[in-house]
Amino acid sequence: MNRKVTAVDIGASSGKMAFGEFDGKRMSIREYRDFENRPVDIGTALYWDVFSLYHAVIDGMAYFNEKYGEADTAAIDTWGASYGLLDIRGRLLEPVYHYRDERTRTVIRDMEKVMSSYELFRLTGCQCNRTYTLPQLYSYRTSDCPVLDNAESMLLLPDLLGYFLSGVKTTEMTIAGTSCLMDKRQEDWSMEVAGRFSVPEKIYTEIVEPGTFKGKLSENIRLQTGMKNTRLVACVSHDSASAVAAIPDFGEEKLYISIGTNVSMGIERDECLLSEEAYRKGFKNTGGIDKSKIIYRDFSACWHLNEFIRTRRDEGKSYTHPQLIQLARAEKQEVPWFDVEAPEFNDAGGDFCRKMNRYFIKTGQRQLSSDGEFAKSIFESIALKICHYANALTELGISYREVYVINGAVRNELLMEMISNVLGCEIRAGMPYATLAGNLLTQLYALGEVKTVKEMRSLSKDSFGIKVFEPENRCYWKEAVDKYEETIE
């Protein structure tokens, strides 16, 4: 029996949808569909345009239904931490805030007065920064805003959109792991954290595992989309965890590196890692499919390239990503590197090239002038930071024998070569739409077409291509790693 499934993946800069078909042996993607995600800056606050996203999802479902027929199931994944608060009638109490809204600028300092960051890590497995849900909720307390007390329930973004489509209020387990409100097992809400930070327990909804059916679409949505019998599934709703769920044959002693706007890289195991050394090295824990735990590190990646493109565009010069890859590959001169996690590179706006050169002056390196040099420096700096955290995992006693690189940046073969070189090992790279693939495959898991996660990943191997990259010029890159570590100290 053929199965038809529709997936929605919404990232911080854009959204994607996919219509997939399963013939009993392979999953094939009939079509991808993109849509925009434009935050709303009204001067006094920064919001996500959740209603635009809602309409994009409905339009995409209607389009796929008309072109390919009705899907058996549909599911939504998004980035983490963003939420909506609902009143007793199920209506939004306020617009959905962007996680970079200024109301949380100093909230981490306020939270330290309640609980140390290390204690919070021990309780939740999270390395909390201001973009997490908990700091956003606690900002209501520090500003004496009554909204939280008036809330009847809270839904994280994929479940909020799912509620708009189905009327069902549940919270999927992996997206809850991005909130810093879960206990250290990443399986239930932490009532201790709720109590210490004055978060009303009543706003928490039931946590469900990936692969759970939420229910049918509401009558209104059935009319708008033509999907009369489609069921909504709680997929692996955290986009990073969804991508990990799709990696072919992934499991023990394997390292994943997911690269898009940000890098998320780490390993999968049965229990969270809560040691003091893991905390000091900045590693985090979140839930994965089938109650697995993902120990990972994340940091900005192609964000830097996008900021460079924006800077040059403001000066009247337009570049595509392939053009910059070509310029970087043609650049034969060695370039200086920067720390992609340095604060000055992670605030939007300003002249990014000037930021880079100021950093190079500060660290005793030469300044850059050509655009090929700037692009090459960005790519090498990303690769070297990946190596930095791969080594940090080894220092924690975590070994890996295979490396998988997934998501959009796998199209950049130059960067893939750099990662293989800097790690000094073979890497397997592919699945530019890994997050969507994980979403689609989890729906097949819910439908019983695959019985286990192992079967799901075996199906992924049969359905999606992977390319192998071998390391070259190891002597240069070994020396580069040593110099880079000195630069960022």
Side-chain angles (χ1 to χ4, degrees):
M1 176 182 179
N2 278 22
R3 291 290 195 178
K4 299 179 179 181
V5 286
T6 296
V8 182
D9 167 37
I10 307 178
S13 57
S14 65
K16 299 179 182 66
M17 295 183 68
F19 190 90
E21 290 191 9
F22 177 62
D23 63 4
K25 295 181 179 179
R26 293 181 69 253
M27 164 73 77
S28 59
I29 310 300
R30 296 295 297 273
E31 188 173 346
Y32 294 105
R33 179 182 173 94
D34 296 338
F35 56 90
E36 194 171 29
N37 180 13
R38 288 183 62 192
V40 180
D41 187 348
I42 63 170
T44 58
L46 184 62
Y47 299 114
W48 297 109
D49 191 352
V50 68
F51 300 117
S52 174
L53 299 177
Y54 167 72
H55 282 128
V57 171
I58 291 175
D59 291 346
M61 291 170 70
Y63 170 81
F64 284 147
N65 183 69
E66 183 176 356
K67 191 168 183 180
Y68 301 110
E70 186 170 22
D72 295 290
T73 55
I76 302 170
D77 69 75
T78 75
W79 72 91
S82 294
Y83 64 90
L85 295 174
L86 303 174
D87 67 13
I88 197 167
R89 296 185 181 180
R91 302 174 301 189
L92 275 175
L93 281 166
E94 60 183 1
V96 176
Y97 276 102
H98 194 291
Y99 53 65
R100 294 192 190 275
D101 179 74
E102 287 296 310
R103 78 200 196 287
T104 59
R105 175 64 67 179
T106 62
V107 73
I108 295 297
R109 183 182 63 201
D110 296 323
M111 289 174 61
E112 285 282 349
K113 299 172 185 176
V114 177
M115 182 186 296
S116 72
S117 58
Y118 179 59
E119 184 181 0
L120 188 58
F121 173 75
R122 293 287 294 173
L123 286 172
T124 67
C126 292
Q127 297 263 15
C128 195
N129 59 50
R130 74 185 186 95
T131 66
Y132 277 70
T133 312
L134 173 59
Q136 294 183 68
L137 296 180
Y138 192 61
S139 71
Y140 295 116
R141 298 307 188 198
T142 59
S143 61
D144 295 321
C145 176
V147 171
L148 198 55
D149 293 320
N150 295 328
E152 188 68 20
S153 55
M154 175 191 72
L155 292 173
L156 294 158
L157 186 57
D159 294 307
L160 179 67
L161 292 168
Y163 165 68
F164 291 163
L165 297 178
S166 68
V168 175
K169 297 180 189 175
T170 56
T171 300
E172 188 274 324
M173 186 177 291
T174 67
I175 199 68
T178 70
S179 67
C180 203
L181 294 164
M182 297 273 279
D183 65 26
K184 61 186 178 183
R185 297 174 302 123
Q186 293 291 313
E187 294 177 14
D188 202 357
W189 301 112
S190 170
M191 295 310 169
E192 181 173 353
V193 169
R196 296 275 290 275
F197 288 97
S198 303
V199 177
E201 294 178 14
K202 69 173 183 176
I203 70 172
Y204 294 147
T205 62
E206 177 192 2
I207 291 176
V208 298
E209 290 189 49
T212 302
F213 287 106
K214 282 181 172 283
K216 285 192 174 182
L217 303 175
S218 67
E219 183 178 356
N220 176 45
I221 303 302
R222 291 200 295 269
L223 288 172
Q224 291 187 68
T225 63
M227 291 184 166
K228 297 179 180 179
N229 298 298
T230 301
R231 290 187 288 175
L232 192 66
V233 170
C235 64
V236 182
S237 299
H238 178 204
D239 52 7
S240 295
S242 180
V244 173
I247 299 173
D249 291 339
F250 193 69
E252 190 175 348
E253 293 191 342
K254 298 181 182 183
L255 173 70
Y256 82 89
I257 306 169
S258 174
I259 313 178
T261 304
N262 299 315
V263 166
S264 171
M265 59 180 290
I267 52 102
E268 185 180 74
R269 54 189 255 174
D270 294 332
E271 295 181 351
C272 290
L273 182 63
L274 300 170
S275 67
E276 185 175 356
E277 188 177 4
Y279 166 77
R280 285 192 287 102
K281 291 182 182 298
F283 283 91
K284 310 173 185 181
N285 300 267
T286 192
I289 192 165
D290 198 25
K291 294 187 177 181
S292 62
K293 316 304 174 192
I294 300 171
I295 293 86
Y296 72 105
R297 200 61 170 77
D298 54 355
F299 49 90
S300 297
C302 295
W303 156 271
H304 303 295
L305 193 65
N306 292 338
E307 283 290 283
F308 171 79
I309 291 171
R310 176 195 55 77
T311 295
R312 287 297 187 242
R313 186 175 61 242
D314 291 346
E315 297 168 352
K317 188 186 294 185
S318 295
Y319 282 118
T320 64
H321 283 248
Q323 285 172 334
L324 288 177
I325 294 167
Q326 187 175 7
L327 284 175
R329 189 180 286 280
E331 183 57 57
K332 301 306 179 185
Q333 191 171 2
E334 292 183 12
V335 293
W337 309 294
F338 65 98
D339 184 354
V340 297
E341 291 186 284
E344 59 262 44
F345 297 115
N346 287 283
D347 285 332
D351 187 321
F352 194 77
C353 299
R354 189 172 298 169
K355 289 180 183 181
M356 288 178 69
N357 276 330
R358 280 201 296 258
Y359 181 92
F360 297 145
I361 292 171
K362 183 175 68 175
T363 54
Q365 303 181 86
R366 73 175 180 90
Q367 296 184 67
L368 301 180
S369 56
S370 77
D371 289 350
E373 286 183 317
F374 280 113
K376 184 177 180 180
S377 175
I378 292 170
F379 295 142
E380 289 197 359
S381 295
I382 293 169
L384 287 161
K385 184 58 109 174
I386 286 170
C387 182
H388 174 81
Y389 285 120
N391 290 339
L393 276 171
T394 303
E395 290 165 4
L396 288 171
I398 298 172
S399 60
Y400 56 88
R401 52 187 173 78
E402 292 181 8
V403 179
Y404 291 84
V405 186
I406 53 172
N407 269 327
V410 297
R411 300 185 185 94
N412 183 343
E413 293 202 354
L414 175 61
L415 181 58
M416 297 305 102
E417 292 165 12
M418 289 178 177
I419 293 170
S420 176
N421 287 333
V422 78
L423 293 179
C425 67
E426 174 185 281
I427 66 168
R428 294 167 170 81
M431 302 181 69
Y433 295 103
T435 300
L436 276 170
N439 183 321
L440 293 165
L441 290 165
T442 308
Q443 293 179 61
L444 295 181
Y445 181 62
L447 288 164
E449 296 295 335
V450 286
K451 305 297 184 185
T452 65
V453 175
K454 185 176 180 179
E455 282 185 26
M456 195 171 90
R457 286 171 166 161
S458 179
L459 174 59
S460 179
K461 183 178 181 180
D462 293 338
S463 303
F464 304 107
I466 294 287
K467 183 174 180 178
V468 174
F469 290 84
E470 299 278 359
E472 298 176 353
N473 198 9
R474 185 60 188 141
C475 185
Y476 165 77
W477 284 98
K478 191 174 186 307
E479 185 178 340
V481 169
D482 293 337
K483 288 181 179 179
Y484 173 78
E485 293 297 330
E486 293 175 5
T487 299
I488 67 171
E489 282 181 357

